[in-house]
């Protein structure tokens, strides 16, 4: 994603003051003009008039000419001192240049060691100190986005295999996914995954999903991380648009499409800040952003580009992936940075609020966790093999569990065979036989069912529609089967679900059970176009209603001083009553 000229010029104007630009002009620009590198539109007279009081735009235009064309940029950089060139390249690829001895780069107040300003040769940069008083030089990120493409490329500009893998854990979930996709989907579709008001999967839902789906977790005995894979998969369903959650879509034969639709952003909900609320829910204040939407689609497409660059059989560091995206200026800003600076904050455990005030913070607290969350989703779905540690607490924040994001621990990834299939590098993948092989026994005389063998999908359904009376034994009653049913359509759907998941061929007592439920459901019908009129306790009026032959034919029911009639007869009834002096008050 190339930065626009408008945004680049805005960055120059914000980063460089009039005074700094004039000093740069005297130090560098005037020589570049003399060499013909920049300022070709300026005449000698115009150049002679340039002073510290000249229009700031004049200096900005000269810098823009030097920094936006590769040939010109290469020539002007060649004129810089080697030290300045080294610092420029270091900052371009590392964000900031550490300063060990401030006096080497700065001018101090005469007779004092108080920092006054940078020396003229270093005025392309700014000096700052972190919370530990460590000094560094830096350049506005939007300026770096323009010049990186003209500089020699470091190794991480390309995706490459990692060496000396340093990770405590490894997890490959492809076989688990191949066998259990339908199980995960069924658990979600039956309404068993519930979210809190803050968008987190409830603990009970996580425990139940982990139990019934027998999910092999990333971490064990790690407090809030125990159900990380379970939670990640559960949230994935909430991420998708409704039309992508049909049962046909989640058949294992559609697995490639599920992943590619996710990576293209096609299947992901794009209203509000939906992804951020689910997977980066430590970011608060999102509801205050109302002018712009979440850029989830474009950001996911950048991840897809990285996926296509991963080697078939090699481990790649997550740091390499992050730098690949950053260095190539691929779009990854899921939330507009300015909106983050203006509205977003992070709640710390000491009740403090941390604002994200610059692009370094945006990179660390938004971009990096977003990329890791997507890679963890793909690892949970079996597309990537994950190599990871416990999440790190080295984020400069005071968080309850130490870490900012549960996905902070991800260090390396590797394409699985399933991942290669998704990306089209292999034509076929053996998903095996994912069907449940349990035997279902339906009692011929009682509404009791037994399940012999492992059948988590069937068990989940049976626990929802019947009473469990033994480890694998279930009793059906009208009350249990109708629980949660609101209308006859839902009842028919549940009976059809029973036939699909349990058995199409059922004993007579079971058929009669379902037929009785449907018969009762159809016993009451709502009648449309009926009018109710309330009458006063008027003896003459009551006698009239019983005496007039035409009225008697049109009145369907008269009781407790109310009469019912069809809408089609309403006007004629009113006319007859009017003829006797009775009017209807509307």
């Amino acid at each position: 994603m190339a930065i626009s000229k408008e945004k680049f010029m805005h960055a120059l104007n914000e980063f460089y003051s009039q005074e700094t630009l004039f000093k740069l002009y005297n130090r560098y620009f005037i020589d570049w003009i003399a060499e013909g590198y920049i300022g070709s539109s300026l005449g000698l007279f115009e150049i002679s008039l340039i002073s510290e009081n000249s229009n700031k735009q004049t200096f900005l235009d000269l810098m823009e000419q030097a920094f936006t064309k590769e040939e010109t940029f290469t020539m002007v950089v060649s004129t810089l001192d080697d030290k300045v060139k080294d610092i420029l390249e270091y900052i371009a690829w590392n964000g900031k240049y550490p300063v060990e001895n401030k006096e080497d780069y700065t001018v101090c107040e005469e007779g004092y060691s108080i920092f006054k300003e940078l020396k003229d040769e270093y005025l392309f940069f700014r000096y700052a100190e972190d919370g530990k008083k460590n000094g560094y030089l830096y350049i506005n990120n939007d300026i770096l986005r323009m010049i990186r493409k003209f500089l020699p490329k470091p190794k991480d500009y390309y995706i490459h295999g990692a060496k000396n893998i340093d990770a405590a854990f490894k997890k490959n979930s492809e076989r688990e996914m191949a066998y259990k996709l339908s199980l995960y989907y069924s658990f979600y579709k039956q309404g068993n995954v519930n979210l809190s008001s803050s968008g987190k999967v409830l603990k009970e839902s996580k425990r139940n999903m982990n139990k019934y789906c027998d999910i092999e977790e990333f971490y064990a005995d790690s407090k809030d991380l125990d159900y990380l894979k379970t939670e990640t998969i559960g949230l994935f369903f909430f991420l998708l648009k409704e039309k992508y959650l049909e049962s046909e879509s989640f058949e294992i034969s559609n697995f490639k499409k599920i992943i590619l639709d996710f990576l293209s952003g096609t299947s992901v909900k794009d209203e509000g800040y939906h992804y951020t609320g689910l997977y980066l829910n430590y970011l608060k204040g999102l509801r205050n952003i109302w002018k712009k939407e979440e850029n989830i689609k474009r950001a996911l497409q950048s991840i897809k580009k990285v996926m296509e660059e991963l080697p078939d059989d090699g481990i790649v560091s997550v740091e390499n992936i992050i730098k690949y995206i950053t260095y190539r200026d691929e779009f990854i800003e899921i939330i507009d940075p300015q909106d983050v600076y203006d509205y977003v904050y992070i709640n710390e455990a000491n009740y403090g609020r941390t604002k994200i005030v610059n692009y370094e913070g945006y990179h660390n607290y938004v971009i990096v966790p977003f990329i890791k969350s997507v890679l963890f989703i793909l690892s949970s779905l079996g597309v990537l093999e994950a190599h990871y540690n416990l999440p790190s607490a080295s984020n400069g924040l005071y968080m309850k569990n130490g870490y900012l994001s549960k996905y902070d621990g991800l260090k390396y990834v590797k394409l699985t065979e399933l991942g290669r299939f998704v990306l089209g590098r292999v034509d076929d993948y053996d998903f095996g036989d994912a069907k449940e092989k349990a035997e279902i026994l339906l009692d011929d005389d009682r509404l009791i069912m037994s399940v012999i063998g492992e059948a988590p999908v069937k068990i989940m359904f049976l626990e929802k529609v019947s009473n469990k009376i033994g480890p694998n034994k279930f009793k059906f009653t009208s009350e249990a089967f109708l629980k949660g049913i609101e209308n006859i359509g839902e009842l028919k759907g549940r009976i059809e679900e029973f036939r699909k998941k349990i058995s199409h061929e059922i004993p007579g007592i079971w058929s009669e059970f379902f037929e009785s439920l449907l018969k009762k459901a159809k016993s009451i019908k709502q009648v449309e176009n009926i009018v109710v009129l309330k009458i006063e306790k008027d003896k003459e009026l009551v006698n009239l209603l019983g005496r007039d032959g035409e009225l008697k034919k049109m009145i369907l029911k008269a009781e407790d001083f109310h009469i019912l009639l069809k809408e089609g007869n309403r006007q004629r009834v009113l006319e007859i009553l009017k003829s006797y002096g009775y009017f209807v008050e509307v």
Side-chain angles (χ1 to χ4, degrees), residues 274-290:
H274 192 66
Y275 185 97
T276 307
L278 293 176
Y279 287 100
L280 307 178
N281 57 22
Y282 57 86
L283 294 173
K284 308 301 180 183
L286 297 172
R287 294 179 181 177
N288 297 323
I289 306 173
W290 56 275

Side-chain angles (χ1 to χ4, degrees), residues 214-229:
D214 192 25
I215 296 175
E216 298 175 15
E217 281 296 339
F218 289 112
Y219 299 100
D221 302 321
S222 299
K223 295 183 180 179
D224 199 37
L225 300 172
D226 283 356
Y227 298 110
L228 182 58
K229 187 197 286 189

Side-chain angles (χ1 to χ4, degrees), residues 24 27-28 81 84 104 118-125:
L24 286 170
R27 175 76 187 192
Y28 295 111
D81 294 340
V84 176
D104 293 341
L118 286 170
K119 294 178 181 177
D120 286 355
E121 60 265 39
Y122 299 115
L123 285 174
F124 286 116
F125 320 112

Side-chain angles (χ1 to χ4, degrees), residues 37 52 69 131 139 144 162 261 311 321 414 456 460 508 522 551:
Y37 300 154
E52 60 185 337
K69 293 182 179 179
I139 296 178
L144 296 179
D261 284 346
I321 290 173
K414 176 185 177 183
M460 278 193 297
K522 297 175 182 178
L551 283 176

Side-chain angles (χ1 to χ4, degrees), residues 29 32-33 36-43 47 61-62 65-66:
F29 295 0
W32 296 348
I33 293 172
Y37 300 154
I38 60 174
S40 58
S41 61
L42 298 174
I47 295 172
D61 288 342
L62 290 171
Q65 293 170 32

Side-chain angles (χ1 to χ4, degrees), residues 311-343:
D312 278 343
D313 189 24
I315 298 174
V316 175
S317 75
V318 174
E319 182 179 4
N320 179 199
I321 290 173
I322 293 168
K323 288 182 176 179
Y324 174 93
I325 292 172
T326 303
Y327 291 171
R328 292 171 178 266
D329 204 20
E330 297 290 353
F331 186 90
I332 203 65
E333 295 171 351
I334 185 173
I335 313 172
D336 184 87
Q338 191 59 52
D339 284 335
V340 171
Y341 306 151
D342 291 342
Y343 302 111

Side-chain angles (χ1 to χ4, degrees), residues 522-535:
K522 297 175 182 178
S523 297
I524 302 174
K525 294 183 179 179
Q526 181 176 321
V527 179
E528 304 292 339
N529 302 319
I530 295 296
V531 177
V532 180
L533 298 179
K534 184 179 184 299
I535 64 175

Side-chain angles (χ1 to χ4, degrees), residues 34-242:
E35 293 294 334
Y37 300 154
I38 60 174
S40 58
S41 61
L42 298 174
L44 288 175
F45 181 70
E46 292 174 290
I47 295 172
S48 68
L49 293 178
I50 293 177
S51 70
E52 60 185 337
N53 297 318
S54 295
N55 192 315
K56 186 178 182 181
Q57 191 61 46
T58 301
F59 301 118
L60 292 174
D61 288 342
L62 290 171
M63 183 169 275
E64 185 263 336
Q65 293 170 32
F67 280 14
T68 56
K69 293 182 179 179
E70 183 173 8
E71 183 179 0
T72 304
F73 179 81
T74 302
M75 289 188 294
V76 300
V77 168
S78 68
T79 68
L80 302 176
D81 294 340
D82 288 343
K83 181 67 172 177
V84 176
K85 283 191 286 188
D86 290 343
I87 294 173
L88 181 64
E89 287 191 22
Y90 189 94
I91 292 176
W93 305 118
N94 297 282
K96 53 189 179 182
Y97 180 85
V99 171
E100 294 182 5
N101 188 1
K102 182 166 61 175
E103 287 71 23
D104 293 341
Y105 304 92
T106 62
V107 176
C108 297
E109 291 282 358
E110 187 173 350
Y112 299 91
S113 60
I114 301 173
F115 166 70
K116 181 180 179 183
E117 60 187 10
L118 286 170
K119 294 178 181 177
D120 286 355
E121 60 265 39
Y122 299 115
L123 285 174
F124 286 116
F125 320 112
R126 276 191 188 177
Y127 176 83
E129 294 180 352
D130 61 22
K132 298 180 179 179
K133 300 297 182 181
N134 297 314
Y136 59 90
L137 301 176
Y138 72 100
I139 296 178
N140 180 286
N141 183 69
D142 283 337
I143 299 174
L144 296 179
R145 288 174 60 192
M146 178 63 74
I147 67 175
R148 279 193 190 110
K149 55 191 175 183
F150 305 140
L151 292 169
K153 306 301 186 287
K155 186 176 182 180
D156 282 335
Y157 188 84
Y158 310 93
I159 293 295
H160 58 85
K163 298 179 180 178
N164 302 319
I165 308 305
D166 181 20
F169 309 102
K170 180 177 78 171
K171 179 69 70 177
N172 185 325
S173 302
E174 64 176 320
R175 295 314 302 165
E176 187 179 5
M177 179 54 58
Y179 283 105
K180 296 180 181 177
L181 176 65
S182 61
L183 179 57
Y184 301 152
Y185 173 77
S186 295
F187 190 88
Y188 164 78
K189 201 63 175 175
Q190 290 178 22
N192 296 313
V193 184
N194 298 300
L195 301 183
S196 68
S197 58
S198 61
K200 297 179 180 179
V201 179
L202 295 176
K203 289 183 178 180
E204 183 179 6
S205 292
K206 287 190 284 189
R207 283 195 296 267
N208 289 339
M209 184 174 180
N210 181 271
K211 172 186 173 183
Y212 287 111
C213 300
D214 192 25
I215 296 175
E216 298 175 15
E217 281 296 339
F218 289 112
Y219 299 100
D221 302 321
S222 299
K223 295 183 180 179
D224 199 37
L225 300 172
D226 283 356
Y227 298 110
L228 182 58
K229 187 197 286 189
T230 301
E231 184 174 16
T232 302
I233 295 172
L235 290 175
F236 182 73
F237 294 111
F238 286 96
L239 190 63
L240 304 183
K241 297 173 182 176
E242 285 301 319

